[in-house]
Amino acid sequence: MNVTDEAHPWHVAAGTLADAGCDAVFGLPSDEPGLMDAARDVPGLKVVGVRDQRAGACAAIGHAAVSGRPAVLAVNSGPSFANALTGLLEASSLGAPVVVVTTRVPALGIGRGGFQHTDQAAMARPLTKWDFLVEDPRQLTWALRRAVHLAVNGGPGVVLVEVADEVLRAPAPERRPAPPVRRLRFAAETGEVRRAAGLLAGARLPVVVAGGGCKPAGAGPAVRHLAELLGAPVFTTAAGRGVLDEEHPLACGLVGLYTTPPADGLLADADVVLAIGSRLEETARMGWDGLRDKTLVHVDVDPAAFLTALEPEAALLGDAAVVAGQLAAALEAEPPAGTAAGVARLGRVTAVRREARDRRTRAADGPDLTVAAALRLLQESVTRDATLVQENGLHDMWGYHCPVVSVSERARVVTPGEQTMVGFGLPAAVGAALADRSRRTVLVCGDGAFEMGLAALPTAAELGLGLTVLVLDNRGYGWPRFVRAEEGAADGLTRFTAPAHTDAAVRALGGRTAYCTTAAELAAALDDAAEAHADGRTTVITVPVRDDDVPVGVRRVFAASAPAGAAA
């Protein structure tokens, strides 16, 4: 029986996932026709064949981040599943709604040397919210709909459904079309809201930290209104970028490792911190003086987020947008922003933002093509509304510093999570660009990360995505090189000695390449990239960078001296 037959279990599975709200399936084709083949026959499902399961997982992350819908990763038992785990580790770290559908070998082979049998659930359990083995056809549609529900509700994340070989060879259950799985919204307990509002209203310098959990909730407008009532500076985590337009008068860039002076002074002086949709992971806490001594008001949809890093004075369990609205309603009668202290806060935030922009201008207007200058030219070319995909190497972390790069609330920003896997960016950009072809998708990464993600390049070419990639080339791995320099250790292993092969790969697939050492060369290459994007062709622009062109946040956290010409 063909998998596209409506009576085949795989066709039922594909239709169930589409009904539940998924719109993309990533993976490699299996030996026998499987979920990807069936999905090609289901309206509303995009099927993307990748060259590497790890890349497939990252592409699913990028697609989910931009589309706002859960993505499906189709794999099989054995090396196929194991190869996807690094990407799923990143998905788990980010809280990305990814539904993994895999096969299980015939039961008679388990424990008897069955070909490619592995305990998939045990391997993935630290990364998944839920895993289930479908051993009876009657469980299939229920398990898949429950998987989508758990992927998007509570703290979003990875779920795993294994389908036993015996189920795939049995008659399929009847498929009954069903509505999309809904994202559940709920409010925080009223008394806790009142107590939190009191803490915020009485604060000398409240600070708002918006995390990635604000995005699936669509909490941007509610967070903005709340911050305006408080007269409070707003910081975001890397995953939270775009929740608030970074040109808003209260926007002060990113938190922790990515904080751009002088905004770090606001974080140091804050007495009450309102964290919304963030677990306050280590990167968000790096370089934040005295954070443990501050009063924390914590809002999250997942109770497991509380006490992960710090114990909150007030813990508000609920949807980020709903709870931000509750807090705003409690403050509207007497907005703290209207008090003398609130007016003074706004004046200080304005001064901080002005100084940060002055520093940016000085950094980007020098004679050399620094990373900051290159990023400014990139943004001028693609606009603040583009989809920005980043890695987390040394030099590309300049892009996390606002106002070196400033994104609008219409932008889409895709970053790795706390795992920061090398090679994340290119496959994530593929998924992101596929989710929204109406806007430019740009990737900023290092040369090492680009090489590691190169398996995603053919997929970008096949789909005609027209990516623009800025490769900051230090001929090796910048972050370990920097840390070793700080410790006085040898860095020979961090340096590449073989000639780069990436440009040849790009051109072989119909893309364009450029090597730029001046602002004029980069501006011309970006103009060419805009034309290539319109033709669906990828452009890779390489800019050589100095080892001492180190992001300001890294210098601040490591207490390193700022090198000449690289000020923020």
Side-chain angles (χ1 to χ4, degrees):
M1 182 167 53
N2 194 293
V3 296
T4 59
D5 188 311
E6 292 190 3
H8 193 283
W10 276 135
H11 193 278
V12 172
T16 299
L17 290 165
D19 288 346
C22 303
D23 67 342
V25 180
F26 298 87
L28 271 71
S30 53
D31 293 348
E32 297 179 352
L35 176 59
M36 294 177 66
D37 302 88
R40 297 181 70 176
D41 196 49
V42 175
L45 280 181
K46 294 172 284 195
V47 180
V48 183
V50 295
R51 303 294 201 273
D52 184 304
Q53 292 89 352
R54 192 176 88 140
C58 295
I61 293 169
H63 194 279
V66 172
S67 71
R69 303 173 70 175
V72 179
L73 178 65
V75 290
N76 294 287
S77 177
S80 172
F81 183 83
N83 197 35
L85 283 175
T86 306
L88 296 178
L89 176 67
E90 199 64 77
S92 177
S93 172
L94 279 166
V98 176
V99 180
V100 183
V101 180
T102 187
T103 56
R104 193 203 69 178
V105 304
L108 287 177
I110 297 175
R112 303 178 64 189
F115 180 65
Q116 292 189 333
H117 172 252
T118 188
D119 191 342
Q120 299 172 103
M123 295 173 71
R125 194 155 288 146
L127 312 178
T128 56
K129 294 182 63 179
W130 183 65
D131 62 80
F132 187 78
L133 171 63
V134 176
E135 297 182 279
D136 187 299
R138 292 169 294 183
Q139 299 172 312
L140 184 62
T141 57
W142 163 81
L144 291 171
R145 285 189 65 84
R146 176 168 168 78
V148 175
H149 160 71
L150 290 172
V152 301
N153 280 302
V158 180
V159 291
L160 169 64
V161 175
E162 293 183 83
V163 184
D165 181 78
E166 291 77 12
V167 169
L168 298 172
R169 304 190 187 283
E174 179 185 359
R175 177 192 163 203
R176 298 180 179 179
V181 168
R182 293 185 300 115
R183 188 180 182 280
L184 304 179
R185 297 179 178 272
F186 55 95
E189 192 271 324
T190 304
E192 194 74 351
V193 171
R194 283 198 299 266
R195 196 161 74 86
L199 293 169
L200 292 167
R204 172 182 46 80
L205 178 53
V207 164
V208 178
V209 176
C214 291
K215 289 184 175 179
V223 170
R224 180 179 66 246
H225 180 51
L226 175 58
E228 290 169 347
L229 289 171
L230 288 168
V234 179
F235 293 80
T236 72
T237 64
R241 289 190 87 176
V243 171
L244 181 70
D245 191 312
E246 290 177 344
E247 295 302 315
H248 187 281
L250 292 172
C252 291
L254 277 70
V255 74
L257 176 62
Y258 311 119
T259 302
T260 307
D264 53 337
L266 294 171
L267 293 173
D269 293 347
D271 56 339
V272 178
V273 175
L274 170 61
I276 306 178
S278 171
R279 288 171 291 191
L280 294 175
E281 295 96 333
E282 183 178 3
T283 303
R285 305 192 308 269
M286 283 182 178
W288 191 342
D289 295 339
L291 175 58
R292 290 191 174 276
D293 299 325
K294 303 183 189 306
T295 298
L296 175 63
V297 176
H298 202 167
V299 178
D300 208 279
V301 75
D302 181 5
F306 305 135
L307 277 78
T308 297
L310 299 170
E311 184 165 356
E313 181 67 25
L316 285 73
L317 180 64
D319 177 86
V322 173
V323 179
Q326 288 180 284
L327 289 170
L331 294 168
E332 280 177 340
E334 298 181 25
T339 65
V343 173
R345 280 198 299 273
L346 183 56
R348 182 176 177 186
V349 172
T350 300
V352 164
R353 285 173 49 82
R354 183 184 304 116
E355 183 178 344
R357 274 154 179 74
D358 288 345
R359 293 189 184 194
R360 174 204 178 188
T361 300
R362 292 195 299 271
D365 285 348
D368 298 329
L369 184 57
T370 62
V371 176
L375 290 171
R376 184 185 68 174
L377 289 169
L378 175 66
Q379 182 154 75
E380 289 173 353
S381 175
V382 303
T383 81
R384 298 177 59 247
D385 296 342
T387 295
L388 172 64
V389 183
Q390 291 194 255
E391 289 270 354
N392 204 334
L394 179 62
H395 303 288
D396 54 274
M397 276 198 286
W398 269 114
Y400 290 84
H401 283 281
C402 180
V404 174
V405 170
S406 171
V407 302
S408 79
E409 60 189 2
R410 296 176 297 279
R412 300 291 182 267
V413 182
V414 184
T415 68
E418 207 68 5
Q419 295 294 329
T420 65
M421 99 182 229
V422 181
F424 166 84
L426 187 57
V430 167
L434 181 66
D436 187 353
R437 291 178 178 267
S438 68
R439 67 177 74 223
R440 294 282 296 277
T441 296
V442 298
L443 165 64
V444 179
C445 65
D447 53 314
F450 184 66
E451 288 192 12
M452 197 173 289
L454 205 59
L457 197 61
T459 304
E462 288 170 347
L463 297 173
L465 296 177
L467 304 176
T468 299
V469 182
L470 179 64
V471 176
L472 303 171
D473 183 7
N474 65 358
R475 297 298 302 136
Y477 294 115
W479 181 263
R481 188 182 303 168
F482 169 78
V483 175
R484 287 171 181 233
E486 288 291 297
E487 297 176 353
D491 65 6
L493 292 174
T494 70
R495 299 183 182 277
F496 297 161
T497 56
H501 64 288
T502 51
D503 281 6
V506 173
R507 290 193 294 268
L509 291 165
R512 298 184 182 183
T513 64
Y515 187 86
C516 303
T517 59
T518 68
E521 290 174 344
L522 178 56
L526 288 167
D527 288 342
D528 290 344
E531 294 180 3
H533 165 74
D535 294 336
R537 298 165 62 191
T538 290
T539 300
V540 177
I541 302 171
T542 300
V543 173
V545 296
R546 304 188 316 266
D547 283 350
D548 63 358
D549 194 351
V550 177
V552 60
V554 175
R555 294 200 309 267
R556 183 173 56 84
V557 170
F558 278 78
S561 299

